[in-house]
Amino acid sequence: MSQAPATTARRARGGGGAARRAERTAVSVDTAKYIERNIPNYEVLTQEALDVIEANAETVLAEIGVNFVDNPEALDRWRQAGAEVEGERVRIPRGLARKLCSTAPSQFTQHARNPERNVVIGGKNLVLAPVYGPPFVRDAEGGRRYATMADFEKFVKLGYMSKWLHHSGGTVCEPTDVPVNKRHLDMLLAHMIYSDKPFMGSVTEPSRAQDSVDMCEILFGKDFVQENTVMTSLININSPLTFDSVMMGALEVFAKNNQASIISPFIVGGAMAPVSVAGTLTQVLAEVLAGVAYSQIIRPGSPAIMGTFVASIDMNSGAPTFGTPEAAHITYGAGQLARRLGLPYRSAGSFCGSKLPDAQAAYETSNSLQMGLLSGVNFMLHACGWLEGGLVASFEKFVMDADQLGTLHHFARGVDISENAQAMDAIAEVGPGGHYLGCAHTQANFKAAFWRSDLFDYKPFETWDEEGARDTQALAAVRVQRMLDTYQQPALDPEIEGRLRAYVAEKKASMPDAFT
Amino acid sequence: MSQAPATTARRARGGGGAARRAERTAVSVDTAKYIERNIPNYEVLTQEALDVIEANAETVLAEIGVNFVDNPEALDRWRQAGAEVEGERVRIPRGLARKLCSTAPSQFTQHARNPERNVVIGGKNLVLAPVYGPPFVRDAEGGRRYATMADFEKFVKLGYMSKWLHHSGGTVCEPTDVPVNKRHLDMLLAHMIYSDKPFMGSVTEPSRAQDSVDMCEILFGKDFVQENTVMTSLININSPLTFDSVMMGALEVFAKNNQASIISPFIVGGAMAPVSVAGTLTQVLAEVLAGVAYSQIIRPGSPAIMGTFVASIDMNSGAPTFGTPEAAHITYGAGQLARRLGLPYRSAGSFCGSKLPDAQAAYETSNSLQMGLLSGVNFMLHACGWLEGGLVASFEKFVMDADQLGTLHHFARGVDISENAQAMDAIAEVGPGGHYLGCAHTQANFKAAFWRSDLFDYKPFETWDEEGARDTQALAAVRVQRMLDTYQQPALDPEIEGRLRAYVAEKKASMPDAFT
C-alpha cells in the first residue's frame, strides 16, 4: 500500500509530455499539512456523565431500537449479526453494536491524487474541509442566488488555493443548473481536475456512490482504490434513530469498496433530539453505534467516522442557531465519546445563522471553530464558507473563514519551551525599561513568532480610511477575485483527464435529465 | 463585615422619602450573577513547562531585577523586605517575592452600592467588566470621534442595563472634553450615580486614587470602606520590568486602604516582551511577582490580582494584533501560573484590531472571549466595547459583545446529567422517525434549554430581507438607542448624591484646569 501513492503520483503527474509541460507551468500552491495537535483536548463531561450516557445509549439500542427503512437486506444482515428485528425496527442487544464497531480503524489515510495532500484522519489530527450542501451562493456583488456549476468550480478552485484547507470537500454548493441525476458527475470531475486535494463521494443514490468509486478507479487506478481509501463521504442519519435506504445504500457501496464514511446524526436540538445536552448525546451515541456497526457488518475494517452535526434551536422562531453554548457542550462531549469508542470524530465547522458575512456570522463561526479544535475533532466539514444556517455558500466568508483556520494550526502547535523560546538571554539583554524590537532574539525569531492574517486590516487608521474604510467583506471580495484571477490548474495526466471526461459524458448520455 | 453591605444598602436605597420615591419608580434591571464555573479550565502548559517558567522568573528577579522609578520610599521598603537595591534597580532573592505574595487573598468580595451586585473575584468565578481607556468612540451614525463625558455617561448606562455584565468598569472611554486633572471626578460620579454595579478607581495620580477612596467613603460610609473592598483598580506595569511612580503611587493608596489592584503587565509581544510565548510568560510572571509582592509590603492581605494584557504584533506594520493563537497560549499559560501562585487572574477581553464592528472584529473578539472563559480568568476587563486595538470604544460593539457574554454564562454551567436531562422518557416517547417539538419533555424544558441572543438575526430570510437586510452593526445601533431611551437611574439616597456632587464641585474649584 505504501508504494501505491507514488505510482499514482507518477501516473497523474508525469505520464507523458503534455503532463510534464503542465507540471512545468503550474504554479506551486502552498498547502499546510493537516493539523497534528500538540495540545490537550478539552473535556467537559465527567467520568460519571460519560458512563451514564454510554449506558443509556445501550438502553436505547436494546429497548427502543432503530429503524432501517425500505431495506430488507439490512434487516437480514442485522438479524444474522444477532439483533432482534421486528418489522423495520432493529433492537440491538447491549454491547453488540460497540463490539461490532471495534473493527473500524481508529485512524486511516485518505489518499489524494497528489500524495503530498494525503491526510491521516484520526488520532490527534485535524483535517479541514469546506462547506457542504448549500443550494444558494452569495457574494458581495451579486447577492444571494441559486448556486450553479460555475459557482461550484470557483469554490473548488478557492479551496485548492487555500493554504489552511486540507480537503476539497464534496458538495461545496448544489449546482442547481445541472440535472439532479447528473450533477454528481460534474462535481466529482471538478474536484478531480481543479484540485489535487482529497475529496468526498456522492451519497444521493447508491448508483451515484458507485459512479464515485468508478471515477476514482480512473483517477487512482483500480487496484489502488480497492486497497486504499480515496474518498471520505457523508452519510447522514435521519434522526431520531432512522436509517433510510438511500443513505444506507451509499454507505454499503462505500464500505464494500473500503472507502470511508462519516456516520453522522443531523440534529437540530429539540426537533430531532431531546432539548437537553445529555439526552442529545445519548441519542447521538446510539445512532452512531448503530450506523458504524452496520458499516462493519458490510465490511469489517472499513473506515468509519463518528459524526455529530448539532445545531440548537430558537424556540421563538424555530430557526436553528449556531455558535451556542449548548452546541459546544454537545461537541465537546461527543468528542469524549468518540475517543472512548476508538473512532475518528467529525464535528464543528464555520457555523452561523447570519444572512451576511458580518459580525454575527463571525462570532458564531469563531465559537464553533475554536470548540472544534479543542474538542478533538479529526475531520471538520464546513470549516469555511458556511452562511445562513447552511443554506448559502458565501464566497467572501469562504476566504474569511479559510484565513481564520490558520489560527487553529498555530494554536495546535502548543508552547515551545526550548532554550531559544525561553529567551532568557533576550530578557537579560533588554533589561528593565528597554525595548525588544531590535534585540538579537527578536531579530532571529520574529518571522515565525506570530500568526498573521492574510486578509484582515492591520493598517494605521488614516491609511485604512484613505483606502476606502473597507470592512472585512469588502477586503474578502477583493481576495476572492484575486485568487480566481491567478488560479492555475494542478497538473494532471491528460489521458486520465480524457478518460474521466469520457466517463462523465457517457453516463450523462445514458439517462434523461431529472430535476427532482 | 457581613453586616455592612446591608447597612450600606439601607443607607443608599432607603435613606429618606425621596429615596423611597426613587426606588418605587425605578425600573428593575436584570443582571446575571457573576459566573461560577462548573467546567474545567483548559491548560496548555505541561508541568515541566510551568516549572521552567517559574524557575526562570525567579532568575529574572534575582539576577536582572526590576526598576522602581522615582520612588525612593519604595526602594527603602524593598531594602527592608530583603531585596538588594542598586540605584533604582531592585533585585529580589529567589523565593522572596513569592513568599511576600502569599499574604494576598486568593479571592475577595468587591462590594457594590447595591449588595445584589457584589462580586466575588477569584476561585472559579468570572466577573465581566467593560472596555477601559479608549480616547475615541465610534457609532454607526457619527463615525469615529474623540470621546466626551456625554459618551462616558452613555456607556455607564449601557453597562448598567447589560444583563451579562457584572461590573461598571473604570475609564470606559476618556472624556477628552473634561480637563485631565478633573475628569476622574466626573467619571467616578457617573459610575456611582448612573449604575449600581461595582466600579474601578482612578490611577492616573496618587491624589486621584485618594479622591476615589474619599468618594467611596461618601457612597459606602467611611468605616465600610476601611473594612471592605469597594474598588478594583488597574495598575499597569511599564513592561519590561519597570514600575513607575505614578502607578505605584496609586497602588500604594489603594493597598493602604484595603482596595484591590490588578497588577498587570501591558505587553505587545516582541516590543515590551520577547517574541516567544515562554519568554513572555517568564517576564509576565516576574513582573506580577514583584508588583503583587510590593502591594503586600504596603499592606499584607490587601487584595491583588495577577493581570496579563498581551497582544501579539504584526511585524510588517508594527500594529498590535488580537485574537491570535500566540496570545491565546499566553492567556492559558498565565492562568495556570496564577492558580499556582494562588492569586485571582485578570486577562482576555473583547479584543480586536478592526476599525469597524465587522467580521474581523467579531472573529478576533470571539477567539479572545472563549479563551478567557476556558483559561480560568477571574476578572475580565474589556469584556465588551473594545475596537481598533483599544483606541476606540464602540457603542454598537459594546452591545454586540455584551450579548455574546451570555454564551460564556451558559457554557460555564456545565452539562446537567440529572434524570430529567437524560431525557430517556422523551427518547422512548418520540421513537425512531418521530419529532421532539411536541413531546412532554420538550414542552417542560424548552424555555431554559438554549441560550438565545437578544440581538442577532434569527428571522426567515424573506422577513429579514423585507425589513432592510440589516447587518449586525445596524441591529446593534437600534439596540443602543432603545436601551438609552429606556434607561432609568437606579435609586440612590439624594443626600448621598448631593454630598458626592458637592465633593466633585469643591475639588474641581480647588485647582485650575490642566489638559496634559
Side-chain angles (χ1 to χ4, degrees):
Chain A
M1 300 221 301
S2 60
Q3 295 166 295
T7 314
T8 310
R10 201 178 58 240
R11 288 185 49 204
R13 299 196 300 184
R20 275 195 296 275
R21 277 192 299 282
E23 192 168 19
R24 273 199 302 276
T25 55
V27 169
S28 158
V29 166
D30 188 15
T31 296
K33 195 179 177 193
Y34 54 84
I35 294 172
E36 296 170 286
R37 289 180 180 85
N38 186 33
I39 53 169
N41 295 313
Y42 183 76
E43 308 213 315
V44 77
L45 295 181
T46 61
Q47 179 72 38
E48 184 204 351
L50 291 162
D51 291 342
V52 166
I53 289 166
E54 288 178 346
N56 284 350
E58 295 287 351
T59 302
V60 169
L61 291 174
E63 297 180 11
I64 301 168
V66 298
N67 280 4
F68 275 72
V69 180
D70 296 332
N71 197 342
E73 289 184 8
L75 299 173
D76 284 346
R77 291 188 184 107
W78 271 117
R79 208 176 278 114
Q80 285 168 30
E84 177 196 321
V85 177
E86 184 185 344
E88 294 188 320
R89 183 71 56 96
V90 178
R91 291 192 179 80
I92 307 170
R94 277 171 210 285
L96 174 60
R98 188 169 283 264
K99 184 164 168 247
L100 288 167
C101 287
S102 67
T103 55
S106 61
Q107 69 173 47
F108 64 91
T109 299
Q110 181 185 352
H111 293 266
R113 72 165 165 99
N114 176 354
E116 289 175 16
R117 307 277 185 261
N118 290 355
V119 292
V120 178
I121 298 174
K124 294 208 75 173
N125 299 347
L126 172 54
V127 173
L128 300 166
V131 63
Y132 186 105
F136 298 100
V137 296
R138 173 182 276 280
D139 62 22
E141 203 179 308
R144 184 187 193 254
R145 58 191 187 274
Y146 275 104
T148 64
M149 195 59 214
D151 293 315
F152 187 99
E153 290 176 359
K154 284 185 192 171
F155 278 118
V156 172
K157 291 174 181 175
L158 292 175
Y160 167 65
M161 297 178 79
S162 294
K163 175 174 180 182
W164 308 115
L165 206 61
H166 318 113
H167 204 281
S168 196
T171 310
V172 286
C173 62
E174 278 286 350
T176 60
D177 56 340
V178 182
V180 167
N181 60 337
K182 299 179 180 178
R183 62 176 65 151
H184 66 288
L185 298 162
D186 286 347
M187 291 194 279
L188 282 160
L189 187 66
H191 283 299
M192 291 175 177
I193 287 179
Y194 296 121
S195 181
D196 64 0
K197 296 183 181 180
F199 53 83
M200 305 171 79
S202 174
V203 297
T204 52
E205 273 285 327
S207 67
R208 296 172 199 156
Q210 189 59 53
D211 289 346
S212 310
V213 173
D214 293 348
M215 289 179 71
C216 280
E217 289 181 349
I218 297 173
L219 184 65
F220 290 93
K222 196 173 173 72
D223 294 348
F224 189 78
V225 170
Q226 287 309 313
E227 287 167 10
N228 296 282
T229 298
V230 297
M231 282 180 287
T232 296
S233 305
L234 179 62
I235 304 296
N236 277 332
I237 296 167
N238 245 348
S239 302
L241 302 169
T242 304
F243 296 78
D244 69 52
S245 60
V246 170
M247 282 286 165
M248 287 305 102
L251 171 66
E252 289 156 16
V253 170
F254 288 126
K256 272 178 205 160
N257 287 280
N258 201 35
Q259 300 306 308
S261 291
I262 306 165
I263 315 285
S264 202
F266 179 92
I267 288 173
V268 177
M272 296 87 131
V275 285
S276 61
V277 169
T280 297
L281 283 169
T282 300
Q283 185 184 303
V284 162
L285 180 59
E287 292 175 343
V288 167
L289 281 167
V292 172
Y294 186 64
S295 77
Q296 300 305 300
I297 293 174
I298 298 292
R299 176 165 167 171
S302 58
I305 298 175
M306 169 164 169
T308 306
F309 177 94
V310 182
S312 35
I313 192 169
D314 170 29
M315 285 290 183
N316 290 4
S317 66
T321 55
F322 299 91
T324 61
E326 295 78 19
H329 283 154
I330 293 168
T331 304
Y332 284 115
Q336 293 178 259
L337 295 168
R339 288 190 287 281
R340 283 160 67 105
L341 195 47
L343 290 178
Y345 176 44
R346 169 258 161 154
S347 197
S350 60
F351 298 141
C352 62
S354 188
K355 315 293 188 291
L356 297 170
D358 59 0
Q360 175 182 347
Y363 282 115
E364 293 173 334
T365 292
S366 181
N367 289 350
S368 300
L369 293 178
Q370 294 294 321
M371 82 181 172
L373 177 67
L374 298 186
S375 66
V377 165
N378 299 117
F379 187 82
M380 193 192 291
L381 194 58
H382 310 301
C384 61
W386 170 288
L387 195 67
E388 203 187 318
L391 283 175
V392 173
S394 158
F395 284 98
E396 286 85 8
K397 189 156 180 288
F398 192 100
V399 300
M400 288 156 58
D401 294 336
D403 179 71
Q404 271 295 296
L405 298 178
T407 67
L408 308 189
H409 284 74
H410 278 241
F411 187 82
R413 292 176 185 172
V415 176
D416 178 6
I417 197 75
S418 67
E419 203 170 309
N420 177 59
Q422 291 177 41
M424 289 296 279
D425 288 350
I427 298 175
E429 177 187 341
V430 172
H435 211 286
Y436 283 89
L437 278 180
C439 84
H441 182 265
T442 304
Q443 292 302 313
N445 292 282
F446 78 88
K447 278 185 189 163
F450 299 117
W451 175 79
R452 184 187 190 283
S453 167
D454 288 326
L455 172 68
F456 286 171
D457 158 60
Y458 291 151
K459 293 179 177 165
F461 174 79
E462 292 71 19
T463 313
W464 169 82
D465 198 42
E466 279 163 20
E467 292 181 359
R470 291 175 294 181
D471 68 6
T472 319
Q473 183 181 219
L475 295 173
V478 172
R479 187 171 165 86
V480 167
Q481 199 51 55
R482 196 174 56 230
M483 288 172 78
L484 294 176
D485 288 346
T486 58
Y487 168 81
Q488 291 201 32
Q489 203 166 312
L492 175 65
D493 185 338
E495 190 252 325
I496 290 176
E497 181 172 337
R499 285 172 57 206
L500 287 169
R501 290 189 183 280
Y503 181 92
V504 169
E506 194 179 316
K507 271 280 166 177
K508 283 180 152 184
S510 72
M511 51 189 166
D513 291 355
F515 269 98
T516 53
Chain B
M1 299 222 301
S2 59
Q3 296 164 296
T7 313
T8 309
R10 201 176 60 239
R11 288 186 48 206
R13 299 196 301 185
R20 276 194 295 275
R21 277 192 300 280
E23 192 168 17
R24 273 198 302 275
T25 55
V27 170
S28 158
V29 165
D30 189 15
T31 296
K33 195 180 176 191
Y34 55 84
I35 294 173
E36 296 170 286
R37 289 181 180 85
N38 186 33
I39 53 169
N41 294 314
Y42 184 76
E43 308 213 315
V44 78
L45 295 181
T46 61
Q47 179 71 39
E48 184 205 350
L50 290 163
D51 290 343
V52 166
I53 290 165
E54 288 178 347
N56 285 350
E58 294 288 352
T59 302
V60 169
L61 290 175
E63 296 180 11
I64 301 168
V66 297
N67 281 3
F68 274 73
V69 180
D70 296 331
N71 197 343
E73 288 184 8
L75 299 174
D76 284 345
R77 291 188 183 107
W78 271 116
R79 207 176 278 115
Q80 285 169 29
E84 177 196 322
V85 177
E86 184 185 344
E88 295 188 321
R89 185 71 57 95
V90 178
R91 292 191 178 81
I92 307 171
R94 277 173 208 284
L96 175 60
R98 189 170 282 266
K99 184 164 169 249
L100 288 167
C101 288
S102 68
T103 55
S106 60
Q107 68 174 48
F108 64 91
T109 299
Q110 181 186 352
H111 293 265
R113 73 167 166 99
N114 176 353
E116 289 175 17
R117 308 278 185 260
N118 291 355
V119 292
V120 178
I121 298 174
K124 294 207 76 173
N125 299 347
L126 172 55
V127 173
L128 300 167
V131 61
Y132 187 105
F136 298 99
V137 296
R138 174 182 276 280
D139 62 23
E141 204 178 308
R144 183 188 195 253
R145 59 189 186 277
Y146 275 104
T148 65
M149 196 60 215
D151 294 315
F152 187 99
E153 290 177 0
K154 284 185 191 172
F155 278 117
V156 172
K157 291 174 181 177
L158 292 175
Y160 167 67
M161 297 178 80
S162 294
K163 176 174 179 181
W164 307 114
L165 206 61
H166 318 113
H167 204 281
S168 196
T171 310
V172 287
C173 61
E174 278 285 350
T176 58
D177 56 340
V178 182
V180 166
N181 59 336
K182 299 179 180 179
R183 61 177 66 151
H184 66 288
L185 298 162
D186 286 347
M187 291 194 277
L188 282 160
L189 188 66
H191 283 299
M192 292 176 177
I193 288 179
Y194 296 120
S195 181
D196 64 0
K197 296 182 180 180
F199 52 83
M200 304 171 80
S202 174
V203 298
T204 52
E205 273 286 328
S207 67
R208 297 171 199 157
Q210 189 58 54
D211 289 345
S212 310
V213 173
D214 293 348
M215 289 179 72
C216 280
E217 289 181 348
I218 296 172
L219 184 66
F220 290 93
K222 195 172 173 73
D223 293 347
F224 189 78
V225 170
Q226 287 310 313
E227 287 168 10
N228 296 282
T229 298
V230 297
M231 283 180 286
T232 297
S233 305
L234 179 61
I235 304 296
N236 277 332
I237 296 167
N238 245 349
S239 302
L241 302 170
T242 304
F243 296 78
D244 68 53
S245 60
V246 171
M247 282 285 166
M248 287 306 101
L251 170 66
E252 289 156 15
V253 170
F254 288 126
K256 271 178 203 160
N257 287 281
N258 201 35
Q259 300 307 307
S261 290
I262 306 165
I263 315 284
S264 202
F266 180 93
I267 288 173
V268 177
M272 296 86 131
V275 285
S276 61
V277 169
T280 297
L281 283 169
T282 300
Q283 185 183 305
V284 162
L285 180 59
E287 291 174 343
V288 167
L289 281 167
V292 173
Y294 185 64
S295 77
Q296 300 304 300
I297 293 174
I298 299 291
R299 176 166 167 170
S302 58
I305 298 175
M306 169 163 168
T308 305
F309 177 95
V310 183
S312 34
I313 193 169
D314 169 29
M315 285 290 183
N316 289 4
S317 66
T321 56
F322 300 90
T324 61
E326 295 78 19
H329 283 155
I330 293 168
T331 305
Y332 285 116
Q336 293 177 259
L337 294 168
R339 288 190 287 281
R340 283 160 67 105
L341 195 47
L343 289 179
Y345 175 44
R346 169 258 161 153
S347 197
S350 60
F351 299 141
C352 62
S354 188
K355 315 292 188 291
L356 297 170
D358 59 1
Q360 174 181 346
Y363 283 115
E364 293 173 333
T365 292
S366 181
N367 289 350
S368 301
L369 293 177
Q370 294 293 320
M371 81 181 172
L373 177 67
L374 298 186
S375 65
V377 165
N378 300 116
F379 187 83
M380 193 193 292
L381 194 57
H382 309 302
C384 61
W386 169 289
L387 196 68
E388 202 187 317
L391 283 175
V392 173
S394 157
F395 284 98
E396 287 85 8
K397 189 155 181 288
F398 192 100
V399 301
M400 289 156 58
D401 294 336
D403 179 71
Q404 271 295 296
L405 297 178
T407 67
L408 308 189
H409 284 74
H410 278 241
F411 188 83
R413 292 176 185 172
V415 176
D416 178 6
I417 198 74
S418 67
E419 203 170 308
N420 177 59
Q422 291 178 41
M424 289 296 279
D425 288 349
I427 299 175
E429 178 187 341
V430 171
H435 211 288
Y436 283 89
L437 278 181
C439 84
H441 183 265
T442 304
Q443 292 301 314
N445 292 283
F446 78 88
K447 278 184 188 163
F450 299 117
W451 175 78
R452 183 187 191 283
S453 167
D454 288 326
L455 172 68
F456 287 171
D457 158 60
Y458 291 150
K459 293 179 177 166
F461 175 80
E462 292 71 20
T463 313
W464 169 83
D465 199 41
E466 280 163 18
E467 291 180 0
R470 290 175 295 181
D471 68 6
T472 319
Q473 183 182 218
L475 295 173
V478 172
R479 187 171 166 85
V480 167
Q481 199 51 56
R482 196 175 55 230
M483 287 171 78
L484 293 176
D485 287 347
T486 58
Y487 168 81
Q488 291 200 30
Q489 204 166 312
L492 176 65
D493 184 338
E495 189 252 327
I496 289 176
E497 182 172 336
R499 284 172 57 206
L500 288 169
R501 290 189 184 280
Y503 180 93
V504 169
E506 194 180 316
K507 271 278 165 179
K508 283 180 152 186
S510 72
M511 51 189 165
D513 292 354
F515 269 97
T516 52

